[in-house]
């Protein structure tokens, strides 16, 4: 029997601690990190802060634990000061702080975890307590306060009779991973409740329904890029239908590859808007705009060669591990303005093209804002445009839509040609010329042309695409309530994206293949984040790509309707880019300055380069003139290839914005937390909780191969 008076025993077992003495002082110094129980549900991690170790500095108590006492609330005792009462509805959580040197999180103070075995070594499921046999009890009194039971002693020597097991009455009684502070105004908002999680499989019928819904919501990103670039390249309606079918095939194949061998997140791969501006800059160079024969095929082969070179660089950057080093300099303050500039770059194309037929474009913009899903609004307005065309709204005397030369020779038809081209639903002959069955194949446009000047542009664009994907990976991981990907996993995803872009270059889709940023919006709207759903939907895309009439139908969408949808899609990209700032201290003057300066100069510097117009501006439509700066810009070094590359890069908003934001963020002083630096998973986390990154594990023997390359 232990001797001594009761006060002495209380001082020994922790009940009679002096005021201000921390609870951790009565425990052994070597406390192992928190290890979740088997069957731990990651959906309980409700906030970005809890999942990444983020520590708020907006409060004056920067060193307090997540469940510490509220300031100014005298009605609650402080657990750290020796009291036995915790604030109402708050949970017990360990102290977390950021190592100022390594930038990693380290835990301080006591940790409470599920007890696998008590002093006698027996496992007790559902028992909460301290490590190494230190046990306590969480009870709720009539006032709803949570109190810590007595007889907490080191080495499991507490009084067994006075140390009952901690068994919460229900799942709502104790929340181990969520604080009220996370849900307050201005704090981190909880991730949305998902209908289907990452590994859920609802069955054949629901999975088909959700798969089609997922891809229909991304239809604007998948099919509308060919409607812009193919006519600008001199291609026919049949060529447009063929490129759309090719994009459907590549999107299906690359999405399945990314789902199995990339990051394994439920993200769709497709033709990104990142490649749209450089493609327009290349195809509107002086050499290509003067071509009269086979302009489409020659321009497409030039784009194929440039995309292949840039994609090989991206693939090497990912699989070599160089991307892991590059990630040290990439954070939300860099990603946010870069993605935002991507959407703002096409303002000169959006409504100027949609305004050619306002009776179609304005209702489309209104409906897409109401329904938030593009396909439904497109079908409604497309049917409306069909009735306008059939009713003769766009019939003009002496002007035939089937004879374009009449619109040029007859003066009365010149002013109506533009309206008929953008508004009528029967101007495309893709349905008449496209085959019912056609399989897209590699090198269908001929052997790619490789040139240094265009390859340099695409190498820089591949870096921009990688930065955009980094932001998408992390935002998507937060949306689906899983752990943020490690640098190795991100490198693996970027490397596979480079490989998929090589396939896009070989097949000739006109753009590279990257993760669609709009996928995050789709997950938010549909609440479906199942990997199986994305894979099944990708299989449908592959099947549709073999039916030539499907591509022909999509190629027949009126141009004003397509431009109206793109106004929404590009605006969505801008919003998603700005939303990345939620992971930083948005009120920081440093961050405000960097984002504002990079965005303004990212739009202004290209405007200066683009003011150098071609010799005759009549050879290009007005919305394509800004993309002719690669041949007519102010940079003159004496080397035509280098001049073309420099003028082309400086005329791209997204490239200039990335360079300025990258330099400013890595030179202007600022704390890691202020900058929103992602707190990556490290080896210590994986050692204590190997299942933390189970969602990203590669199947089978591929795991050993990935570890050898350092991308696991």
């Amino acid at each position: 029997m232990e001797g001594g008076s009761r006060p002495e025993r209380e001082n020994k077992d922790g009940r009679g601690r002096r005021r201000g003495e921390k609870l951790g002082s009565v425990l052994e110094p070597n406390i192992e990190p928190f290890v979740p129980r088997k069957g731990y549900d990651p959906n309980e991690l409700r906030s970005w802060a809890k999942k990444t170790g983020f520590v708020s500095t907006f409060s004056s108590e920067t060193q307090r634990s997540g469940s510490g006492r509220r300031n100014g609330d005298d009605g609650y005792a402080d657990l750290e000061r020796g009291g036995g009462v915790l604030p109402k509805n708050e949970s017990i959580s360990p102290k977390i702080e950021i190592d100022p040197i390594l930038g990693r999180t380290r835990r301080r103070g006591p940790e409470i975890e599920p007890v696998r075995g008590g002093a006698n070594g027996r496992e007790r499921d559902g028992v909460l307590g301290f490590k190494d046999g230190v046990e306590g009890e969480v009870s709720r009194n009539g006032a709803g306060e949570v109190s810590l039971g007595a007889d907490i002693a080191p080495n499991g020597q507490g009084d067994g009779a006075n140390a009952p097991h901690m068994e919460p009455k229900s799942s709502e009684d104790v929340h181990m991973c969520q604080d009220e502070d996370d849900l307050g105004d201005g704090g981190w908002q909880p991730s949305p409740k998902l209908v289907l999680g990452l590994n859920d499989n609802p069955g054949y019928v629901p999975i088909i329904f959700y798969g089609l819904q997922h891809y229909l919501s991304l239809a604007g990103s998948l099919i509308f890029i060919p409607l812009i670039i193919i006519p600008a390249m001199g291609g026919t309606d049949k060529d447009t239908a063929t490129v759309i079918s090719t994009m459907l095939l590549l999107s299906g194949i690359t999405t399945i590859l990314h789902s199995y061998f990339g990051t394994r997140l439920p993200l769709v791969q497709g033709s990104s808007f990142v490649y749209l501006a450089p493609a327009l800059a290349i195809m509107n160079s002086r050499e290509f705009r003067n071509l009269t024969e086979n302009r489409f095929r020659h321009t497409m082969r030039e784009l194929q060669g440039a995309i292949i070179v840039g994609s090989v660089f991206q693939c090497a950057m990912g699989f070599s591990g160089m991307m892991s080093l590059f990630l040290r300099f990439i954070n939300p303050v860099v990603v946010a303005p870069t993605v935002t500039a991507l959407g703002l770059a096409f303002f000169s194309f959006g409504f100027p093209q949609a305004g050619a037929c306002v009776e179609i474009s304005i209702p489309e913009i209104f409906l897409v804002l109401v329904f938030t899903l593009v396909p439904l609004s497109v079908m409604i307005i497309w049917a409306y445009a069909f009735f306008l065309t059939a009713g003769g709204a766009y019939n003009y005397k002496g002007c035939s839509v089937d004879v374009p030369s009449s619109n040029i020779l007859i003066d009365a038809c010149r002013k109506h040609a533009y309206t008929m081209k953008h508004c009528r639903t029967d101007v495309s002959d893709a349905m008449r010329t496209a085959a019912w069955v056609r399989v897209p194949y590699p090198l269908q446009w001929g052997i790619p042309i490789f040139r240094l000047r265009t390859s340099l542009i695409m190498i820089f664009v591949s870096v921009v695409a990688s930065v955009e994907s980094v932001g998408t990976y992390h935002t998507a991981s937060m949306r689906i309530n899983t752990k943020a990907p490690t640098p190795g996993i991100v490198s693996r995803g970027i490397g596979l994206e480079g490989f998929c872009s090589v396939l896009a270059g070989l097949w000739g889709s006109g753009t590279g293949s990257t993760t669609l940023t709009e996928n995050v919006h789709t997950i938010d709207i549909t609440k479906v984040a199942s990997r199986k759903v994305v894979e099944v939907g990708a299989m449908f895309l592959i099947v549709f790509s073999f039916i030539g009439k499907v591509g022909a139908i999509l190629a027949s969408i009126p141009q004003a309707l397509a431009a109206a949808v793109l106004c929404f899609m590009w605006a969505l990209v801008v919003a998603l880019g700005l939303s990345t700032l939620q992971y930083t201290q948005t009120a920081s003057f440093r961050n405000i300055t960097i984002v504002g300066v990079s965005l303004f100069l990212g739009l202004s510097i290209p405007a200066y380069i683009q003011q150098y117009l071609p010799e005759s501006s009549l050879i290009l439509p007005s919305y394509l003139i800004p993309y002719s700066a690669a041949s007519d810009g102010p940079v003159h070094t004496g080397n035509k290839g280098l001049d073309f590359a420099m003028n082309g890069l400086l005329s791209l908003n997204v490239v200039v914005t990335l360079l300025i934001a990258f330099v400013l963020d890595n030179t202007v002083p600022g704390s890691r937390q202020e900058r929103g630096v992602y707190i990556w998973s490290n080896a210590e986390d994986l050692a204590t909780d190997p299942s933390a990154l189970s969602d990203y594990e590669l199947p089978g023997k591929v795991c050993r191969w990935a570890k050898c390359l350092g991308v696991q």
Side-chain angles (χ1 to χ4, degrees):
M1 178 182 296
E2 185 179 8
S5 63
R6 180 175 178 84
E8 292 175 352
R9 291 195 305 270
E10 290 177 346
N11 287 334
K12 290 180 180 180
D13 64 12
R15 289 180 295 173
R17 297 187 308 275
R18 293 187 303 271
R19 182 174 179 80
E21 181 178 345
K22 294 186 177 181
L23 181 63
S25 63
V26 301
L27 302 177
E28 289 188 359
N30 295 327
I31 300 177
E32 298 182 8
F34 177 84
V35 181
R37 292 181 299 178
K38 184 178 180 181
Y40 172 76
D41 185 8
N43 289 329
E44 289 298 322
L45 295 181
R46 298 298 301 279
S47 69
W48 181 88
K50 287 298 180 184
K51 288 184 287 182
T52 59
F54 181 87
V55 183
S56 176
T57 59
F58 293 101
S59 173
S60 59
E61 291 186 324
T62 56
Q63 296 298 326
R64 71 168 189 167
S65 69
S67 59
R69 180 175 59 87
R70 301 173 185 171
N71 290 335
D73 193 348
D74 297 333
Y76 294 89
D78 191 347
L79 179 63
E80 294 185 2
R81 295 179 179 270
V85 180
L86 291 176
K88 181 178 179 180
N89 296 332
E90 292 202 14
S91 60
I92 303 173
S93 59
K95 282 190 174 183
I96 302 176
E97 67 175 321
I98 300 178
D99 191 318
I101 299 177
L102 299 177
R104 298 176 178 174
T105 59
R106 61 186 184 190
R107 303 183 181 273
R108 299 176 63 250
E111 297 190 2
I112 298 178
E113 66 171 9
V115 176
R116 288 301 182 189
N120 56 3
R122 291 178 299 177
E123 181 175 351
R124 295 190 291 269
D125 294 333
V127 179
L128 301 178
F130 289 100
K131 191 70 178 178
D132 297 329
V134 181
E135 302 174 5
E137 176 183 351
V138 173
S139 63
R140 189 179 300 275
N141 57 24
E145 297 175 344
V146 181
S147 61
L148 183 65
D151 293 302
I152 301 177
N155 300 325
Q157 301 299 324
D159 188 359
N162 296 325
H165 296 172
M166 296 173 56
E167 296 181 356
K169 297 179 181 179
S170 65
S171 59
E172 290 82 14
D173 289 344
V174 179
H175 298 278
M176 296 300 296
C177 300
Q178 179 178 343
D179 289 345
E180 278 187 8
D181 293 341
D182 293 335
L183 304 180
D185 295 338
W188 300 103
Q189 299 299 322
S191 299
K193 184 177 181 180
L194 299 175
V195 175
L196 291 178
L198 182 63
N199 298 308
D200 290 344
N201 189 352
Y204 291 107
V205 175
I207 206 171
I208 292 175
F209 170 78
Y210 286 127
L212 293 175
Q213 171 187 262
H214 199 88
Y215 282 86
L216 284 175
S217 63
L218 294 171
S221 302
L222 292 173
I223 65 174
F224 284 154
I225 291 182
L227 297 179
I228 298 175
I229 63 174
I230 303 305
M233 296 166 62
T236 63
D237 296 329
K238 182 180 179 180
D239 295 331
T240 303
T242 301
V243 173
I244 289 178
S245 297
T246 303
M247 283 190 169
L248 294 178
L249 174 65
L250 291 172
S251 181
I253 293 175
T254 55
T255 298
I256 293 176
L257 288 176
H258 190 83
S259 178
Y260 278 95
F261 307 112
T263 63
R264 308 209 68 197
L265 291 170
L267 298 175
V268 176
Q269 307 295 300
S271 299
S272 173
F273 293 123
V274 174
Y275 290 90
L276 178 57
L280 291 174
I282 292 174
M283 70 180 63
N284 288 291
S285 62
R286 183 182 297 112
E287 175 185 354
F288 297 126
R289 63 179 178 240
N290 292 331
L291 289 177
T292 56
E293 296 182 1
N294 297 324
R295 180 189 173 195
F296 167 73
R297 287 184 174 272
H298 189 81
T299 307
M300 178 63 79
R301 291 163 56 198
E302 183 87 12
L303 287 176
Q304 286 182 259
I307 291 171
I308 291 174
V309 173
S311 302
V312 169
F313 175 82
Q314 183 182 15
C315 186
M317 184 172 61
F319 288 135
S320 67
M322 185 170 59
M323 190 65 195
S324 298
L325 300 177
F326 185 58
L327 286 175
R328 298 181 180 181
F329 308 99
I330 299 299
N331 59 74
V333 180
V334 177
V335 174
T338 302
V339 178
T340 303
L342 174 62
L344 293 176
F346 303 105
F347 72 93
S348 62
F349 178 88
F351 199 79
Q353 289 295 294
C357 192
V358 292
E359 58 270 26
I360 292 177
S361 59
I362 292 181
E364 169 62 26
I365 294 175
F366 174 77
L367 288 182
V368 77
L369 291 176
V370 171
F371 295 110
T372 68
L373 293 178
V374 172
L376 179 60
S377 61
V378 169
M379 288 188 291
I380 294 175
I381 301 302
W382 198 353
Y384 167 65
F386 173 80
F387 284 113
L388 288 179
T389 302
Y394 307 112
N395 292 339
Y396 302 100
K397 184 178 180 180
C399 303
S400 174
V401 68
D402 297 324
V403 186
S405 59
S406 66
N407 300 327
I408 300 176
L409 298 177
I410 303 176
D411 294 338
C413 292
R414 292 179 181 176
K415 60 181 180 180
H416 302 305
Y418 191 75
T419 301
M420 288 190 296
K421 179 180 178 181
H422 284 75
C423 300
R424 295 184 67 97
T425 58
D426 58 354
V427 294
S428 175
D429 61 351
M431 286 296 298
R432 296 190 297 269
T433 57
W436 275 101
V437 178
R438 185 184 186 279
V439 179
Y441 55 91
L443 306 180
Q444 56 187 334
W445 311 116
I447 303 300
I449 300 175
F450 298 94
R451 292 191 182 183
L452 179 61
R453 63 176 194 174
T454 54
S455 299
L456 288 175
I457 294 177
M458 285 301 177
I459 287 175
F460 276 88
V461 172
S462 67
V463 175
V464 176
S466 301
V467 172
E468 182 197 30
S469 296
V470 168
T472 305
Y473 293 164
H474 288 86
T475 303
S477 67
M478 302 304 168
R479 293 293 191 276
I480 66 176
N481 298 318
T482 189
K483 191 175 183 65
T486 63
I489 295 173
V490 173
S491 297
R492 187 177 77 204
I494 297 301
L496 189 65
E497 283 191 14
F499 174 76
C500 294
S501 291
V502 172
L503 297 181
L506 291 174
W507 258 264
S509 64
T511 62
S513 177
T514 62
T515 299
L516 298 181
T517 305
E518 302 81 7
N519 209 131
V520 177
H521 169 73
T522 300
I523 294 176
D524 283 341
I525 295 298
T526 63
K527 301 297 186 294
V528 175
S530 172
R531 188 185 294 127
K532 291 294 183 182
V533 166
V534 173
E535 293 169 356
V536 170
M539 294 179 183
F540 276 101
L541 289 188
I542 296 176
V543 173
F544 291 152
S545 68
F546 298 151
I547 305 175
K549 295 298 182 180
V550 172
I553 293 174
L554 298 175
S556 303
I557 297 177
Q559 292 191 14
L561 178 59
V565 174
L566 289 173
C567 287
F568 172 78
M569 301 303 299
W570 287 327
L572 181 62
V573 173
V574 173
L576 291 174
L578 293 175
S579 68
T580 309
L581 291 174
Q582 66 181 305
Y583 306 124
T584 70
Q585 293 182 357
T586 53
S588 169
F589 179 75
R590 172 193 181 275
N591 294 345
I592 293 175
T593 302
I594 292 176
V595 173
V597 170
S598 59
L599 271 178
F600 180 81
L601 293 181
L603 297 175
S604 185
I605 292 178
Y608 165 75
I609 302 296
Q610 293 168 3
Q611 72 180 352
Y612 289 85
L613 302 177
E615 297 176 358
S616 176
S617 59
L618 297 177
I619 61 178
L620 290 175
S622 59
Y623 60 88
L624 292 180
I625 290 178
Y627 300 102
S628 64
S631 298
D632 305 288
V635 178
H636 299 286
T637 62
N639 187 315
K640 292 185 178 180
L642 182 60
D643 293 345
F644 184 91
M646 292 296 295
N647 286 317
L649 289 172
L650 291 176
S651 66
L652 302 180
N653 305 85
V654 65
V655 173
V656 177
T657 302
L658 171 62
L659 293 176
I660 295 175
F662 180 85
V663 172
L664 290 179
D665 185 62
N666 289 281
T667 55
V668 178
S671 65
R672 292 173 59 85
Q673 189 164 313
E674 181 183 19
R675 298 168 61 195
V677 175
Y678 294 113
I679 302 176
W680 306 108
S681 302
N682 51 57
E684 297 174 0
D685 295 335
L686 298 180
T688 57
D689 187 8
S691 64
L693 298 177
S694 59
D695 292 334
Y696 300 102
E697 289 182 354
L698 293 174
K701 298 181 180 180
V702 182
C703 294
R704 294 195 294 270
W705 164 80
K707 289 179 180 178
C708 294
L709 294 178
V711 294
Q712 175 62 28

